[in-house]
Amino acid sequence: MSAQIIDGKALAAATKAEAAAEAAALKAKGIEPCLAVILVGENPASQVYVRGKVKDCGECGIKSLELRMPETTTQEELLAKIAELAADKTVNGILVQLPLPKQIDERAVIDAIPPEKDVDGFSPVNVGRMQTGQPCFLPCTPAGCIRMIESTGTKIDGKNAVVIGRSNIVGKPAALLLLAKNATVTVCHSHTANLKEICANADILVAAVGRAGFVTGDMVKPGAVVIDVGINRGADGKLHGDVNFEEASAVAGYITPVPGGVGPMTRAMLITTLYRMSGSPAVTGENPYSDVPAGSYYEKAVIWAMQKGVANGMGGGKFEPDTRVTRQQAVTMLYRYAVKIAGI
Ligand code: NAD
C-alpha cells in the first residue's frame, strides 16, 4: 500500500471541537443552538443515524430534540410538525431523516423546511444558492468531502475531478463544490460510457455509487486523491465502501477508509452547519464556502496542536473559525509545545 490514509475520525474530531467552541461562545451570548431531528417510522438504519446525530450534538454542547412519529404518519401531520418547528424561535435547524414511509412525498417535505433552518442543505433555495455561488448552507457529505480533499494539501484548482454518482444529496453537489473550487469536473453515472478510462484520468476521484468495491485499482490514476462515500453492508455484516480499498490504496496518493472516512466527517459537518445557522459570527462572512477552509496546513496544525494538548479548538479566542492559522498563532502553539515537552 502506498496511499496515505485520510483520517476521517481525526478531521471530524477537529471539526467537532471547533463546533463545540462556537456553541460555547454562542451560549455565552445567550444563544442556545438547537437541532430538531424528526424520525418517522422504525427504519433500523435511520434510528442509528438519528441516535448518532443526537449524540454528536450532546458532545458539542448543542441542544437537540428527537421527535419520533409513527410509521402511519400522514403527509399533513408531518408538514404540520415542520410548520410548528419552523415557527419555533428556539429551534435553529430542522432535519427530517430520510427515507420516509411511502405515503409521504419526500420532495414536499424538503420544500417545507425553511432554507434558514435547512441543516441538510437540500431545500431548493439552498441548492440554487450553492449553484449560483451565493451564501448558503451546504449539504454535509459533499462539504465534508471537500474538507477531506483539502486536508491532504491537494490544490483542487485546475485538477481533473471525477464524481461517480449523480444523486441530489451526494454526486451533484459534490460536483458543484469541486467546480466552485475550479476543478475540471466530470460526472459519471449508470449510463456513462468508458467509465474506467474517465476515472483513470482523475486527479481527484469521488465515488458515490452504493456498490461495494465498484472502483478497482485499474480505475485509479497513480497518486490520485480517492474519496469513498459509499456505505454498503456486506454479507459479512461489515461496512464496505464503493472503492476496493486494497487495490486502490496501492495506486492512489491519498484515500479515505470505510468505515472511518466520509461517514464521521459528514456527521461533524452537520454540527458545523448548525452552529452557523445559530448565528455564529462565522455565518456572517460573505463567502458561501466559508465552511470549507482553504489551507490543509490549517487543519493539520490544529489537529496536531489538539493531539499534543497545546490548543483546544478554534474558538475561545485562540483561533478564528474558518481562517488560516496566522504566523503568530503557529508560533504560540510551538511555544506552548516547547514549554510542555522541555519545560522552558
Ligand atoms: P443513489 O443510489 O441515490 O445514487 C447512486 C448513483 O450511482 C446514481 O447517480 C447512479 O447513476 C450511480 N450508479 C449506479 N450504478 C452505477 C454504475 N454501474 N456505474 C456508474 N454509476 C452508477 O445513492 P447516494 O444517496 O448518492 O449514495 C451513494 C453511496 O453513498 C451509498 O452507498 C450511500 O450509502 C453512501 N452515502 C454515504 C454517506 C456518508 O455519510 N458517508 C452519505 C450519503 C450517502
Side-chain angles (χ1 to χ4, degrees), residues 4-22:
Q4 282 188 45
I5 305 277
I6 306 173
D7 187 343
K9 283 189 193 162
L11 272 177
T15 305
K16 278 165 71 178
E18 172 189 0
E22 284 291 338

Side-chain angles (χ1 to χ4, degrees), residues 141 164-167 169-171 188-190 195 208-211 214 229-232 242 262-263 266:
T141 302
I164 321 175
R166 56 173 166 182
S167 71
I169 61 167
V170 190
C188 296
H189 47 79
S190 49
L195 185 121
V209 193
R211 292 183 180 212
F214 182 85
V229 182
I231 302 178
N232 311 288
D242 286 346
V262 176
T266 294

Side-chain angles (χ1 to χ4, degrees), residues 141-142 145 148 163-164 169-171 174 205-210 226-232 240-243 256-258 261-263 266:
T141 302
C145 291
M148 297 184 98
V163 179
I164 321 175
I169 61 167
V170 190
L205 182 61
V206 178
V209 193
V226 177
I227 306 292
D228 188 352
V229 182
I231 302 178
N232 311 288
H240 298 273
D242 286 346
V243 176
T256 61
V258 176
V262 176
T266 294

